[in-house]
């Protein structure tokens, strides 16, 4: 994990930063690649690239092939940012997409 999630987050492009925040709304300790793709409204290869970018920044880790989670307190960091930057309807819409 990166020493400072905030420093790693500040280096993300806007789309990856938004995905980082929204992914924290997923229930459970981890998220599958298909669920991440649905949440991000992307195909699985694009979701894999997204997850890889977050992993390279130290903000996500792969626990098994196609399963990802936030390390340590990083999920709480993402949730706090989501509460400040994303509206409740945006987060709810993303979760509804993931449920399909």
């Amino acid at each position: 994990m990166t020493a400072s999630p905030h420093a790693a987050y500040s280096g993300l492009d806007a789309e990856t930063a938004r995905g980082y925040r929204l992914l924290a709304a997923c229930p459970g300790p981890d998220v599958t690649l298909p669920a991440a793709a649905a949440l991000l409204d992307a195909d699985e290869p694009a979701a894999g690239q997204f997850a890889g970018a977050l992993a390279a920044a130290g903000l996500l880790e792969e626990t098994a092939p196609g399963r990802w989670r936030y390390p340590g307190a990083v999920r709480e960091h993402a949730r706090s940012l989501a509460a400040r930057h994303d509206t409740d309807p945006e987060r709810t819409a993303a979760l509804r997409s993931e449920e399909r």
Side-chain angles (χ1 to χ4, degrees):
M1 179 175 80
T2 300
S4 168
H6 183 72
Y9 173 79
S10 67
L12 300 176
D13 64 69
E15 185 177 336
T16 304
R18 182 176 183 273
Y20 166 75
R21 297 187 311 264
L22 291 178
L23 196 61
C26 288
D30 58 9
V31 64
T32 64
L33 195 54
L39 181 94
L40 299 168
D41 194 25
D43 59 22
E44 287 187 32
Q49 290 177 337
F50 162 81
L54 290 182
L59 297 172
L60 206 62
E61 61 188 13
E62 191 170 26
T63 59
R67 294 192 82 83
W68 299 85
R69 72 171 178 201
Y70 291 99
V74 174
R75 184 178 195 149
E76 289 308 313
H77 175 258
R79 283 182 174 166
S80 70
L81 289 170
R84 284 191 304 216
H85 297 286
D86 304 308
T87 65
D88 285 339
E90 286 175 309
R91 292 190 303 270
T92 300
L95 285 175
R96 284 194 183 125
S97 295
E98 189 250 341
E99 291 171 357
R100 288 184 215 158

